[in-house]
Amino acid sequence: MKQPIVVHTEEDYQRAQERVQELSASPESPARDAELAALADAMLAFEMRLDEAEE
């Protein structure tokens, strides 16, 4: 079973950005697209938590 992608820290966010770049350079596949979508969701959730904390 695969682990969910979760971004808790700025360091996690940076690693997620690096992984997006790696995946973007790889050939298209359903697994790649699924991982990109999961990364996007995790990164967005992190950004939303930061925005809420600033308010």
Side-chain angles (χ1 to χ4, degrees), residues 17-51:
Q17 286 180 319
E18 291 168 5
R19 183 64 179 148
V20 166
Q21 290 176 347
E22 291 170 10
L23 289 170
S24 295
S26 66
E28 287 189 30
S29 73
R32 180 197 91 147
D33 293 343
E35 187 173 350
L36 281 170
L39 284 164
D41 289 345
M43 292 169 74
L44 179 59
F46 177 74
E47 291 169 1
M48 291 174 71
R49 285 192 305 273
L50 283 181
D51 287 346

